[in-house]
Amino acid sequence: MTLLQLMFTFFYVGLFTIGGGLVAITLMYGPIVEGGLITSEQFYNMVAISESTPGPIGINMATYIGYELYGVAGGIATTVATVLPSLIIITIIAKYFNRFQDKPLVKAAFTGLRPATSGMVLVAAVQVFIIAILNIPAFQETGSVAQLVALPQAIFYLVACILLFKTKLSPIIMVVAGAIFGVLVL
């Protein structure tokens, strides 16, 4: 894939990312991983790093992938390509939204976007869960169900969920703890 083709790919991702960065990850996976540019393991390592660094995850991922494939020029190109559709659309919407916000068709479009966006976020969350918690290569190699779950990651996930839902612990602390866990344990 040339840099120009990569830019078009990320322009597409930026154009159809409605609902946040996890939707962008879902849209990136096909052309980037299934297109053979990087492996799924590299992709999900990039997801982990992009979630751990400041800024929107979709833009972080675009920058990281562009940099990984084409250096600094690639990082800049994919970032600009990802952001450009939003800038264009927001500018147009800002100019005309007050005239159209109460129209039934506009209301219906926003009502339809909610479940579609929720579904795309769910797909991305399930994909990240599968890569992070399930040990599919070991399961395929041994056929043992006991090998299917990566036990340290599963325990960390359960503890993190309990702490996040039962205490007022900041998610930032869990992100830092997850990064430390990944470096020290894995």
Side-chain angles (χ1 to χ4, degrees):
M1 183 179 284
T2 68
L3 181 56
L4 187 59
Q5 290 171 321
L6 191 64
M7 286 179 66
F8 280 121
T9 298
F10 280 95
F11 186 86
Y12 163 82
V13 168
L15 185 61
F16 290 101
T17 297
I18 299 169
L22 291 177
V23 173
I25 290 169
T26 304
L27 294 174
M28 288 177 201
Y29 188 86
I32 302 301
V33 176
E34 293 170 6
L37 298 176
I38 60 175
T39 66
S40 64
E41 183 177 350
Q42 288 173 308
F43 185 81
Y44 286 109
N45 285 338
M46 289 177 178
V47 170
I49 291 168
S50 295
E51 283 184 334
S52 301
T53 54
I57 187 172
I59 295 170
N60 289 350
M61 282 289 294
T63 306
Y64 194 171
I65 291 169
Y67 178 79
E68 190 71 25
L69 296 174
Y70 288 99
V72 173
I76 292 169
T78 53
T79 302
V80 169
T82 303
V83 172
L84 192 58
S86 296
L87 291 175
I88 294 168
I89 292 168
I90 288 169
T91 303
I92 294 168
I93 288 173
K95 185 166 177 75
Y96 298 107
F97 189 69
N98 286 336
R99 292 186 208 169
F100 297 106
Q101 69 182 351
D102 294 325
K103 302 285 184 192
L105 188 60
V106 172
K107 286 183 176 182
F110 280 108
T111 300
L113 285 173
R114 286 184 195 111
T117 301
S118 299
M120 293 179 80
V121 168
L122 180 63
V123 166
V126 167
Q127 287 175 338
V128 169
F129 180 83
I130 288 169
I131 293 295
I133 303 298
L134 299 182
N135 194 354
I136 295 187
F139 174 72
Q140 289 174 333
E141 187 177 301
T142 64
S144 169
V145 176
Q147 296 289 324
L148 182 60
V149 175
L151 200 55
Q153 292 95 314
I155 291 169
F156 183 82
Y157 173 77
L158 289 173
V159 169
C161 285
I162 290 167
L163 288 173
L164 285 172
F165 289 116
K166 296 293 184 181
T167 70
K168 293 186 181 202
L169 189 65
S170 170
I172 294 170
I173 293 171
M174 292 312 304
V175 169
V176 171
I180 293 168
F181 173 80
V183 169
L184 296 178
V185 176
L186 306 176

